[in-house]
Amino acid sequence: MNDTNLTTTTEAASAAEAAERLIAEFRARPAGSDRKPEIITELDANAQALPFLVRVVADPDEYDLARVESATALRLWPPADPALRHEAGRALLRALRDPEEDLVPQYAAMSLAPYTDDPAVTTVLNITARADEDPLVRDSARFSIEEAHRLQETGAGGP
């Protein structure tokens, strides 16, 4: 093993340990803890945490601000793994239709651009952009459609 591989392995182990520690802290916090969104922010670029972020955004019983931060992280750091990427897109679609929340659907709509390789995501985004009763959700869906086009043009949106 050369020094580069050793560094990469060490960095991955360190990222995994950090993710595990932060996820344990998140789970130990009470439902409405203001620390929860902060923890999500600390996890946002950690690839080891992506499955956890997908679960948070999909959980209608989770703290809304933690779900918002999770949606944002999934927009900025979409999973490279095709199965997890598909799961993330579907979790964001479920969050988009959460009738109990105001912010979560807005951020879910805004975060769907990297997931438009899934025809269901594209269909729902187009319908939402035209017909959602919440103007902020409509605008967020439009943003996501524009962002998806930009990502496709630059080649930055695909797995």
Side-chain angles (χ1 to χ4, degrees):
M1 184 182 284
N2 66 36
D3 290 342
T4 305
N5 288 341
L6 181 59
T7 301
T8 304
T9 302
T10 303
E11 289 172 356
S14 178
E17 289 172 8
E20 288 175 21
R21 180 180 49 77
L22 288 166
I23 290 168
E25 180 184 351
F26 183 94
R27 289 180 173 145
R29 296 280 173 181
S33 170
D34 287 336
R35 175 72 178 125
K36 282 187 159 192
E38 293 171 5
I39 292 169
I40 298 298
T41 301
E42 291 175 39
L43 288 169
D44 75 355
N46 188 326
Q48 304 296 322
L50 289 172
F52 173 72
L53 297 178
V54 170
R55 286 191 298 276
V56 170
V57 81
D59 185 352
D61 295 325
E62 187 53 77
Y63 183 36
D64 62 337
L65 295 180
R67 294 178 73 203
V68 163
E69 289 299 327
S70 294
T72 300
L74 290 169
R75 177 175 63 88
L76 297 173
W77 308 100
D81 174 66
L84 185 57
R85 189 181 189 91
H86 179 79
E87 187 180 341
R90 295 303 172 103
L92 288 164
L93 287 179
R94 285 189 300 279
L96 177 64
R97 296 294 163 227
D98 190 337
E100 301 299 317
E101 298 294 340
D102 292 327
L103 286 176
V104 173
Q106 292 170 32
Y107 278 81
M110 193 182 316
S111 299
L112 281 165
Y115 305 95
T116 56
D117 56 332
D118 181 342
V121 170
T122 302
T123 299
V124 170
L125 265 179
N126 286 322
I127 291 168
T128 302
R130 286 191 316 270
D132 199 273
E133 54 189 56
D134 183 334
L136 296 174
V137 173
R138 276 195 315 267
D139 289 345
S140 295
R142 289 179 187 134
F143 166 84
S144 214
I145 291 167
E146 291 171 12
E147 181 71 4
H149 288 294
R150 188 190 66 73
L151 291 172
Q152 290 169 355
E153 288 172 2
T154 63

